[in-house]
Amino acid sequence: MGAKRGASAGRSATERPHRAREETGSVTPENAHDLDLLREMLLIRRFEERCVELYSAAAIRGFVHLYIGEEAVAVGVQQALAERDAVVSTYREHGHALARGVPADAVMAEMYGRVTGCSHGRGGSMHLFDAGRRFYGGNAIVGGGLPVAVGLALADRMRGRSGVTCCFFGDGAFAEGEFHESANLAALWELPVLFVCENNLYAMGTALAREHAQTDLAMRAASYGMAAWAVDGMDVHAVEKAARGAVASIRAGNGPHFLEARTYRFRAHSMYDPDRYRSKDEIEEWKRRDPVTLLTERMRAAGPLDESALEKLEREVAEEIDQAVHAAEQAPEEPAESLLRHVTGRNEEVPS
């Protein structure tokens, strides 16, 4: 599984080979697409759940921020993006990387700090990069990816490239100066940027209403003169539709767009977080809108998904993650004598 996924990486979810279509017989294109969406969300969910186990066993260390509950945002948005587009993420980026096509074994090896990781083991959980797939972080600083995204979009414009830059960030980053400066410049210069705010209602442990006097983030973003609207971030179909519309408009030369994906993280802010700032009842209420369950039930009602097909998807995902863990455990750590490699950008300055 890992090799197959790795071979297809570098393409958007819509350009990636559709294994679900190939393996489920004469299903309709619509049903097959839903199977692809479900598999991507299941991969992210099960990957994150395995990270919980590995972290608890001290196999992976450092800060780990899980994406459980928000899978529909990454998977839905990626459907609208092409290989030529760029993606800039946050420190909660495992799901973004996997949806983009970064192989699970490269992500897991990075979690382990091994040289086979996508950042050669130097970044860990918060700094996943894959320049070949135009996936530019993984940024540990809140809002740190926003100026990078504007710079990438400007570079594409200056070089005559037609790509869109998609920048994911949380509601906490909306309060940072980087967002407002980046939104202003992107709108002023009509840059091809898709701002995707993953509003999960909490900036670390601070509730949205305690941080923002006006909690309608899409309305506030629109004040910069860009198209902006909110979308149900727990519904992958709604996210995909919104993202496709936004990207099509950006490609048509209509400047930056803003999506506020209203979502929720089921786990604490990080593995260190005791999660005492919200009630268990609130968490359970949101879990009733689980994006994986929502799509699964929708597909069952429509008929293309039965228990055997779901079990097959789960088995494939489990095998891919098992292989990724095994590969990471077998991979070497970086030798001390090579620690000065990849430190500067000029090849002549990098020791051989």
Side-chain angles (χ1 to χ4, degrees):
M1 283 295 164
K4 191 171 184 181
R5 183 178 179 84
S8 67
R11 287 169 272 198
S12 72
T14 51
E15 296 171 319
R16 187 180 300 149
H18 295 280
R19 283 172 294 186
R21 297 186 187 194
E22 297 165 356
E23 297 169 357
T24 52
S26 57
V27 296
T28 67
E30 293 78 11
N31 293 342
H33 180 62
D34 282 350
L35 283 167
D36 291 331
L37 296 176
L38 181 58
R39 190 190 190 285
E40 292 295 315
M41 288 201 293
L42 280 172
L43 177 64
I44 296 170
R45 177 67 60 87
R46 303 301 178 234
F47 185 95
E48 297 291 66
E49 289 171 348
R50 181 64 66 87
C51 285
V52 173
E53 297 174 9
L54 295 170
Y55 188 91
S56 299
I60 58 178
R61 300 173 183 272
F63 284 94
V64 175
H65 305 83
L66 301 170
Y67 201 64
I68 294 173
E70 302 184 29
E71 296 89 350
V73 182
V75 174
V77 169
Q78 289 291 352
Q79 307 311 303
L81 301 177
E83 182 179 1
R84 66 184 183 275
D85 299 325
V87 176
V88 181
S89 186
T90 70
Y91 49 74
R92 196 182 307 280
E93 85 278 33
H94 307 162
H96 302 146
L98 291 169
R100 181 63 179 174
V102 181
D105 52 3
V107 178
M108 186 61 75
E110 191 61 38
M111 302 291 289
Y112 271 75
R114 304 302 171 89
V115 295
T116 53
C118 57
S119 298
H120 304 290
R122 296 185 174 206
S125 172
M126 293 191 286
H127 301 94
L128 304 177
F129 276 77
D130 193 323
R133 295 173 176 86
R134 300 208 76 194
F135 185 77
Y136 299 109
N139 290 276
I141 298 174
V142 174
L146 286 155
V148 174
V150 173
L152 287 168
L154 178 61
D156 281 344
R157 165 80 58 80
M158 294 175 70
R159 293 179 178 180
R161 298 190 300 218
S162 60
V164 169
T165 297
C166 174
C167 183
F168 292 97
F169 56 99
D171 50 287
F174 196 98
E176 297 289 330
E178 288 94 336
F179 168 74
H180 300 281
E181 293 167 347
S182 298
N184 181 64
L185 277 181
L188 182 66
W189 295 339
E190 299 182 338
L191 295 176
V193 180
L194 175 60
F195 294 104
V196 180
C197 179
E198 296 181 307
N199 180 5
N200 61 27
L201 302 181
Y202 291 93
M204 292 187 68
T206 303
L208 184 71
R210 290 179 175 269
E211 182 183 16
H212 296 277
Q214 172 53 260
T215 59
D216 189 333
L217 303 185
M219 183 181 70
R220 291 172 62 192
S223 69
Y224 286 102
M226 71 177 81
W229 63 94
V231 62
D232 182 358
M234 308 302 277
D235 184 342
V236 69
H237 288 148
V239 174
E240 178 181 1
K241 181 179 179 180
R244 286 189 183 278
V247 169
S249 184
I250 294 169
R251 294 199 199 282
N254 295 320
H257 284 53
F258 178 98
L259 293 182
E260 178 191 348
R262 294 175 177 173
T263 184
Y264 197 82
R265 52 176 168 79
F266 296 164
R267 303 281 305 197
H269 169 72
S270 73
M271 292 295 293
Y272 285 104
D273 179 11
D275 203 9
R276 295 173 181 169
Y277 43 82
R278 54 185 186 171
S279 69
K280 292 182 179 180
D281 288 343
E282 178 184 297
I283 297 171
E284 291 304 313
E285 180 180 353
W286 276 91
K287 283 185 176 180
R288 286 195 286 271
R289 298 176 56 199
D290 186 320
V292 177
T293 302
L294 175 62
L295 180 58
T296 300
E297 292 179 348
R298 187 176 291 169
M299 292 174 67
R300 281 173 171 159
L305 184 70
D306 56 24
E307 286 304 316
S308 63
L310 182 57
E311 289 174 2
K312 188 173 185 178
L313 285 178
E314 288 278 17
R315 186 165 58 251
E316 291 173 354
V317 166
E319 290 173 355
E320 183 168 348
I321 295 173
D322 286 344
Q323 180 179 339
V325 173
H326 176 74
E329 290 175 343
Q330 301 302 312
E333 296 180 347
E334 186 172 24
E337 57 269 20
S338 67
L339 289 178
L340 295 181
R341 291 183 58 82
H342 312 298
V343 173
T344 64
R346 296 175 60 86
N347 290 335
E348 58 266 35
E349 296 179 8
V350 177
S352 60

